[in-house]
Amino acid sequence: MGAIGIAIYAGMDAIMKGLSIASGAYSAVWWRSIAGVLIAGSVFLARGRRWPRGAVLRLHVARGTLAGSSVLLFFWGLARVPMAKGIALTFLAPVIAIFLAAAMLGERIRPHALLGAGVSAIGVIVIAAGEVSRDASTNSGLGTIAIVIASVLYAGNLVLLRRQAQGADPLEVTLFTSLVISILLLIGAPWLSGWPAWPQLPVIGLAGTLGTISSLLMAWAYARAETQVLATVEYSAFIWAGVLGYLVFGEIVTSFTVAGAALIVAGCLVAVRKPAPIPQTEAAL
């Protein structure tokens, strides 16, 4: 379910890159968040759900703040670099998340999770090396810096998602993530970001729908699996980024991307492998 959620999110990334180029990242992220609030909020109200309080509400605000800052920086950078390179640069997030989960959530880091993260990280480095060699412009450099900072914030977001998903259901997690981001960005929107053109409204609605579905799936997954497993599965987004970047924006997928994708898949398979059960005789000893 986590992998499906990531694939859907990658589709939303492609839509958001187009919106960010056309209207700016600030406007694109704010209007997508508003669409997400309308979609998830209508279901939340229809089901007669209660407003969260106390520690749960504070957790919603904390993760929404991290997620909003990360998303804004990411899409600002993504408008300036190829999709495959942009997603590849976020390879720091899953690795950082594994260690943050150990420190903050008490998750015990398993050897195969580290091995899988390492193999996948090598795959991402291969992709990044190939993409960097093709584009060294000033705008690309600024976009790269923004995405690296976004990846660090996203790592903290993943850890909080694990805790958040254990205290609230996917619908609540999805709604309040979009709601907090919308409120934070309200400071400059729509006065600084501008109103969307009418032809963009269906596109914004589609981005909001895909984002909501992805968030629901990811929250469901993080409530049932450890961060160290799901964080590594996040690497599969690089594959979708290469495919969508080529199909939607005509960005050439290099041999570096293909080789890196193979390593990413191998790393994901290693990371999600369950440890072998201890034989009864050994367990007794």
Side-chain angles (χ1 to χ4, degrees):
M1 296 302 287
I4 294 172
I6 290 167
I8 294 174
Y9 198 88
M12 186 205 67
D13 281 346
I15 295 173
M16 289 295 292
K17 173 168 180 169
L19 288 172
S20 296
I21 292 173
S23 305
Y26 198 104
S27 178
V29 172
W30 191 67
W31 286 110
R32 188 211 68 176
S33 298
I34 292 295
V37 170
L38 294 175
I39 295 169
S42 60
V43 179
F44 189 87
L45 294 175
R47 296 178 62 180
R49 301 292 302 278
R50 294 183 178 181
W51 187 272
R53 297 180 179 179
V56 175
L57 181 58
R58 289 193 294 271
L59 187 57
H60 287 325
V61 173
R63 181 178 171 255
T65 302
L66 273 180
S69 303
S70 175
V71 166
L72 184 58
L73 284 168
F74 174 73
F75 286 119
W76 187 90
L78 193 63
R80 289 157 175 79
V81 301
M83 278 194 68
K85 176 185 174 182
I87 302 296
L89 288 169
T90 64
F91 80 99
L92 290 170
V95 177
I96 294 173
I98 289 175
F99 294 99
L100 284 179
M104 297 173 61
L105 304 180
E107 292 186 6
R108 183 172 175 269
I109 302 177
R110 295 190 295 270
H112 64 266
L114 281 177
L115 178 60
V119 173
S120 293
I122 292 173
V124 178
I125 292 171
V126 170
I127 295 174
E131 294 297 335
V132 168
S133 67
R134 295 174 56 242
D135 187 357
S137 67
T138 301
N139 282 338
S140 178
L142 293 175
T144 296
I145 293 172
I147 292 175
V148 169
I149 297 173
S151 71
V152 176
L153 297 175
Y154 187 65
N157 162 72
L158 290 178
V159 175
L160 290 184
L161 175 57
R162 170 69 169 164
R163 181 179 293 174
Q164 188 183 27
Q166 292 176 321
D169 65 19
L171 177 61
E172 184 176 311
V173 170
T174 298
L175 171 61
F176 281 88
T177 299
S178 294
L179 183 60
V180 171
I181 293 174
S182 298
I183 293 173
L184 288 175
L185 297 184
L186 184 61
I187 298 172
W191 303 278
L192 295 181
S193 63
W195 295 90
W198 285 110
Q200 290 182 327
L201 292 180
V203 182
I204 292 171
L206 178 59
T209 301
L210 292 179
T212 299
I213 294 172
S214 174
S215 180
L216 289 170
L217 292 173
M218 293 300 290
W220 187 94
Y222 269 86
R224 291 162 175 79
E226 291 181 322
T227 303
Q228 61 185 296
V229 173
L230 291 172
T232 305
V233 173
E234 295 255 351
Y235 284 127
S236 62
F238 308 141
I239 302 170
W240 298 112
V243 173
L244 291 170
Y246 173 74
L247 294 177
V248 180
F249 300 101
E251 299 166 352
I252 302 301
V253 180
T254 67
S255 57
F256 286 93
T257 301
V258 176
L263 289 170
I264 290 166
V265 172
C268 290
L269 293 176
V270 171
V272 301
R273 181 176 59 86
K274 293 183 179 180
I278 301 175
Q280 291 289 337
T281 52
E282 293 185 20
L285 291 174

